[in-house]
Each structure stands twice: as structure tokens, then as C-alpha cells.
Amino acid sequence: MYSFTEENYLKTIFYLSIGAKEGVSTNALADSTNTRAASVSDMLKRLAEKGLINYQKYRGVTLTEEGERLALLVIRKHRLWEVFLAEKLQFGWDEVHVIAEELEHIRSERLIEKLDAFLGYPKFDPHGDPIPNAAGEMPRFIYRKLSEIVEGTTVVMTGVSEHSPAFLQHLDKAGLTLGCQLKVNEISDFDKSVSVLIDNVRTLFVSHEVAKNLLVK
Amino acid sequence: MYSFTEENYLKTIFYLSIGAKEGVSTNALADSTNTRAASVSDMLKRLAEKGLINYQKYRGVTLTEEGERLALLVIRKHRLWEVFLAEKLQFGWDEVHVIAEELEHIRSERLIEKLDAFLGYPKFDPHGDPIPNAAGEMPRFIYRKLSEIVEGTTVVMTGVSEHSPAFLQHLDKAGLTLGCQLKVNEISDFDKSVSVLIDNVRTLFVSHEVAKNLLVK
DNA sequence: TAAAAAATTTAGATTAATCTAAAAAAATTA
DNA sequence: TAATTTTTTTAGATTAATCTAAATTTTTTA
Ligand SMILES: [Mn+2]
Ligand SMILES: [Mn+2]
Ligand SMILES: [Mn+2]
Ligand SMILES: [Mn+2]
């Protein structure tokens, strides 16, 4: 059994590793976990001893196979609880993350498998992120950002790359929800803002800042 | 915010206080929490400083009003989660307790109020125990034990005073569930076992040991 | 490439929660 | 009531997770 803290480190290392070719740095971890570099160094020693990370002093870390499996199981729990909170308890997608941060550490395999069944084996969480399976495997979808779509193209909103409540609430106000159809009418030369036709009904201007964080396919 | 450990102490003091006229003893707490008396002494000092218990050295403890309110809020969460596990996830009543021991510490008032609504504001948990309200108030029902019912009387099974999986599984095998009607046919002079007519259909012999732990009204 | 800057680790503390062993207080018994 | 036993508290350690300050290593810059 691993502590909440250890589980959180694994998860953080997993996320910081995405798309990185080097190991994750001590400072990056200190930032993400709101601790000091010295505390991170300490913890890395312990995680390395337990065989969950590959660690050489001053070099940065990567997860071992076992470490990644565990990280993905925590992420699985996190995302399944987010689905539960959003679909069954009617929480907004801007509210589910903080609560799931606690629920993800509940240790019962049976619980999570039954929850999965109760939710109808969802494949994605409320933010469009894929849910790893019980073996700790997760499909990797490669979506484009709305900001990269050329004029005239029609796409579907499949996810967000920014999960802050402020951003999600902004999308709520704009009426942008997962699954909606977006036709890119025009991209402004001036500020790169995007004029999109939503579900063939109404037109909306989306700032470049927002467009960068909208994932589409 | 209180730690899991502190919350567990409050809950344990609450349970050990029921029906006691003296304060709860250090040793009783050490037994219930699987720690040593020295550790309990330590913790009691801290809880007293925080105004959650009334504590004088060598005297034993009682909860303050605030301590009792907090204990009941933890119990509220525990019991609501038990209902969720049993009713929504199809866990047996012998399985829900251990999982609820973890879930009861999730800190989100909104979560628990939404869970309550989702479950249809249940008044009792899967073991027949009443669920405290959001203010930390709990109705106290006084039920009798099946072992105290006189021959010829018909009663309804409303709860259990023993919550071990072994006991609950035993009741499952015997087909004894909450709400079933029990007519006491005869009490054996020899071993105090009770012959009961269940739901007017079949007769069952219940040992005194079991009868003592069945609550009825 | 040597000096300066940045990143990382080590040293030494701190805090919550626990422990064992010893001391002290309360309760029981003779 | 005095001696004995039981209960409880204190003293002093330990462990996980954290911190600040200092030392060390790596990276960048001049
Ligand atoms: Mn999340
Ligand atoms: Mn999510
Ligand atoms: Mn329970
Ligand atoms: Mn219960």
C-alpha cells in the first residue's frame, strides 16, 4: 500500500512526463506539488527504493513500468469518480476535479470496478480525458487544438487541455460543451481569435487563448 | 480541518460514550483504536486543546458539544456512503463498513448533501442505524432485542447491534433481513434459542447469541 | 574554459502520530 | 488503611513528510 503522498507524486510525474523526452526535474515536481525541492529530493529517494521510479541524482526521473501502472490506476479512479460526480450527482465539470483529488485515494479494487459498472463503463471523463482500464492501460488519442484548424473546416469538440474552474466556467458561459460541432469560419489576422459556427446554429468568437485549449477532432 | 485520525477518535469516543455515565477511559480508546494507552493520552491532550473533548488527566473523556457535532457529521457521511454502496453499487451489508471507513473522511459538504439527495434522503443505513442530519443531529430510537421478546409476540426486524461481516453473513444465510416480520413462537428453556415464524411463511431457530444482536420493534 | 548562475542534494529541524519503558496516580484488596 | 494491582501519564524514540539553510553539482555565460 502506498501513501496518498506517494500516489500523488506518481500521478504528477506521469503528467509531467507526457511529451517530455527528458526525465522530470526536481523543480518541476516541487512546483506541481507545492513543496520545496528539498522535500522532492527526499521523496524521490524513497520512490526509487520502492522501485516506482528511475532516479539518478541530479538527473531527473521517469516512472518504472510498475510506477506508471500505479499512476494510471490512480488516474482511473480519479476520472471514474469525476464521471460519478458529474453524471449522478449533477456537479459541474468545473467542480469535480477537487473532490476527485480526494476520492482517487480510496483503496478498494472492488469499489472501483463496481463504480465502473454502475456508470456503464464510461470511456471518457467529463473533460473528455480517456479512462484507463483496470490493468492500468490507457488509449492515447491525439487531438488537435482548435487554434490549429484551418478556416472552413468543421470539427467536433472532444476535450480541453486546461482544467481550471475559471476556464471551464468560461466555456459554460460561451455554451461550449463536449461534443458540439465547430465550423471554423475565420481566423482574425489581428489577434488570432476564431469565429466559429456552433452546431450550425449560432456564431461565436473564440479568443486564441481559449482556442489553444480546446481539443477537437 | 481535522485529520483522519482526529475524526476517528471523535467517532470512537462518541460510540463508547453511548449509554455510559462515566467518561470514556484511555484504555477503552486504546482498545478500540488499536493503539497504546500512551498514544491515546497524547491525542487526548491535543483534542482537549482544540476544544473537542472535556478531559482531565486520569478522569476519562466526554465530547464537547462541538466534538459531538463533528462526530455525528462523520457518522452521517459514513452511513450515507454505506447506503450508496449497498443500494447503488450492490455491495452486501457485510461489505460496506470497511469501505465507508475511508469514504467518511472525504471533506466536501456539497458532496455529502448531493449524495443525500441522490439517495433520496434515506433515514437509515443498511444496518438499520439512523442517519444524522446535516446539523449533526440524530434521532435516538430505542429498540428491543429479539432475545427480550416474550413468546407469542410479533415484531419487525429493524436493526443489528453487531456489525461484523461474520454475523451479517450468518443472517444472510438464515434469510434474516431488515423489515422482516418475526413471530416469537417459543423460547427454549435449555439454551434460550428462539423459534420464530418469519413473514408468516417459515419457521427458523435462532440462537440466543444471535437473538441478542437482533433489534426489533 | 573559468566564473557565475541555476538546479539539486544534504544537513539538521519540525510536526503529527505512533511506540516502549518508566513513573505516577487511582482503584482494589487484604 | 496499607500494600498490591491496574490504569494512566510522562519521557524519550521513531517514522513520514515537510521545511530552511548550506553544500554540491550541473548548466549557462562571458
Ligand atoms: Mn481531474
Ligand atoms: Mn478530468
Ligand atoms: Mn459502518
Ligand atoms: Mn452501518
Side-chain angles (χ1 to χ4, degrees):
Chain A
M1 287 312 91
Y2 299 100
S3 69
F4 285 23
T5 313
E6 288 171 321
E7 289 190 343
N8 283 333
Y9 267 90
L10 293 177
K11 212 178 42 153
T12 307
I13 295 168
F14 178 86
Y15 281 125
L16 292 175
S17 296
I18 292 172
K21 31 181 86 79
E22 306 234 303
V24 176
S25 75
T26 301
N27 270 350
L29 278 165
D31 278 356
S32 294
T33 56
N34 289 307
T35 56
R36 300 319 179 103
S39 312
V40 173
S41 275
D42 252 351
M43 178 57 86
L44 293 183
K45 250 178 272 168
R46 271 174 277 156
L47 291 175
E49 250 160 50
K50 297 187 181 186
L52 302 174
I53 59 171
N54 305 114
Y55 174 52
Q56 299 172 80
K57 284 203 288 188
Y58 296 100
R59 253 48 235 199
V61 289
T62 56
L63 293 173
T64 61
E65 217 169 288
E66 177 64 357
E68 179 165 320
R69 196 181 66 83
L70 289 172
L72 279 160
L73 287 180
V74 177
I75 291 168
R76 168 174 168 77
K77 291 191 276 178
H78 182 102
R79 292 181 179 172
L80 282 172
W81 280 116
E82 283 191 345
V83 173
F84 169 72
L85 295 171
E87 302 215 330
K88 303 294 182 179
L89 300 195
Q90 320 294 334
F91 275 99
W93 67 343
D94 57 312
E95 305 176 287
V96 299
H97 180 78
V98 263
I99 305 179
E101 283 293 305
E102 294 194 47
L103 286 164
E104 72 189 5
H105 301 291
I106 303 290
R107 314 164 192 296
S108 165
E109 271 191 40
R110 252 167 85 65
L111 171 60
I112 211 66
E113 297 326 313
K114 282 192 173 255
L115 181 64
D116 195 17
F118 178 61
L119 299 171
Y121 305 104
K123 293 279 159 287
F124 301 95
D125 83 1
H127 312 103
D129 296 311
I131 296 175
N133 67 19
E137 296 155 349
M138 181 169 69
R140 293 296 192 86
F141 302 93
I142 295 147
Y143 295 130
R144 281 172 301 167
K145 301 172 179 177
L146 179 63
S147 57
E148 294 165 352
I149 304 302
V150 298
E151 290 174 353
T153 316
T154 298
V155 293
V156 173
M157 178 170 154
T158 54
V160 291
S161 53
E162 152 81 37
H163 293 68
S164 70
F167 177 66
L168 299 173
Q169 283 161 23
H170 178 83
L171 298 186
D172 280 341
K173 275 179 197 139
L176 288 164
T177 54
L178 290 189
C180 69
Q181 204 187 67
L182 308 173
K183 179 169 180 218
V184 177
N185 286 326
E186 198 186 347
I187 301 170
S188 161
D189 285 338
F190 174 62
D191 62 359
K192 299 196 217 149
S193 67
V194 190
S195 153
V196 287
L197 176 65
I198 300 182
D199 289 330
N200 285 311
V201 207
R202 66 203 172 85
T203 298
L204 183 77
F205 287 88
V206 175
S207 73
H208 178 66
E209 191 56 33
V210 166
K212 270 196 312 189
N213 289 298
L214 288 185
L215 302 178
V216 300
K217 78 162 179 231
Chain B
M1 287 310 90
Y2 298 100
S3 69
F4 285 22
T5 313
E6 289 171 321
E7 289 190 341
N8 282 333
Y9 267 89
L10 293 178
K11 212 179 42 152
T12 307
I13 295 168
F14 178 86
Y15 281 124
L16 292 176
S17 296
I18 291 171
K21 31 181 86 81
E22 306 235 304
V24 176
S25 76
T26 301
N27 270 350
L29 278 164
D31 278 356
S32 293
T33 56
N34 288 308
T35 57
R36 299 321 177 101
S39 312
V40 173
S41 274
D42 252 350
M43 178 57 86
L44 293 184
K45 251 179 269 168
R46 272 175 278 155
L47 292 176
E49 251 160 48
K50 298 186 180 185
L52 302 174
I53 58 172
N54 306 112
Y55 174 52
Q56 299 172 78
K57 284 204 289 190
Y58 295 102
R59 252 51 228 193
V61 289
T62 57
L63 294 172
T64 61
E65 217 169 290
E66 177 65 358
E68 179 166 319
R69 194 181 67 84
L70 290 172
L72 279 161
L73 288 179
V74 176
I75 291 168
R76 169 175 168 77
K77 291 191 274 178
H78 181 101
R79 292 181 179 173
L80 282 172
W81 280 116
E82 283 191 347
V83 172
F84 169 73
L85 296 170
E87 302 213 331
K88 302 294 182 179
L89 300 195
Q90 320 294 334
F91 275 99
W93 66 343
D94 57 313
E95 305 176 286
V96 298
H97 181 78
V98 263
I99 305 179
E101 284 292 305
E102 293 194 47
L103 286 164
E104 72 188 6
H105 301 291
I106 304 291
R107 312 164 192 298
S108 165
E109 270 191 41
R110 253 167 84 65
L111 171 60
I112 211 65
E113 297 325 313
K114 281 190 173 261
L115 181 65
D116 195 18
F118 178 61
L119 298 172
Y121 306 103
K123 293 279 160 284
F124 300 94
D125 83 1
H127 311 103
D129 295 310
I131 297 175
N133 68 18
E137 295 154 349
M138 181 171 69
R140 294 295 191 84
F141 301 93
I142 294 149
Y143 295 130
R144 278 172 300 168
K145 303 172 177 174
L146 179 63
S147 57
E148 294 166 352
I149 304 300
V150 296
E151 291 176 350
T153 316
T154 298
V155 292
V156 174
M157 179 169 153
T158 53
V160 292
S161 51
E162 152 82 37
H163 293 68
S164 70
F167 177 66
L168 299 172
Q169 284 161 23
H170 177 83
L171 298 187
D172 280 342
K173 276 180 197 140
L176 287 164
T177 55
L178 290 189
C180 71
Q181 204 186 66
L182 307 173
K183 178 169 181 220
V184 177
N185 286 325
E186 198 186 346
I187 302 170
S188 160
D189 284 338
F190 175 63
D191 64 358
K192 298 196 216 149
S193 68
V194 189
S195 154
V196 285
L197 176 66
I198 301 182
D199 288 331
N200 283 311
V201 204
R202 65 201 172 84
T203 298
L204 183 77
F205 286 88
V206 175
S207 74
H208 180 65
E209 191 56 32
V210 167
K212 270 195 312 188
N213 289 298
L214 289 185
L215 302 178
V216 299
K217 79 161 174 226

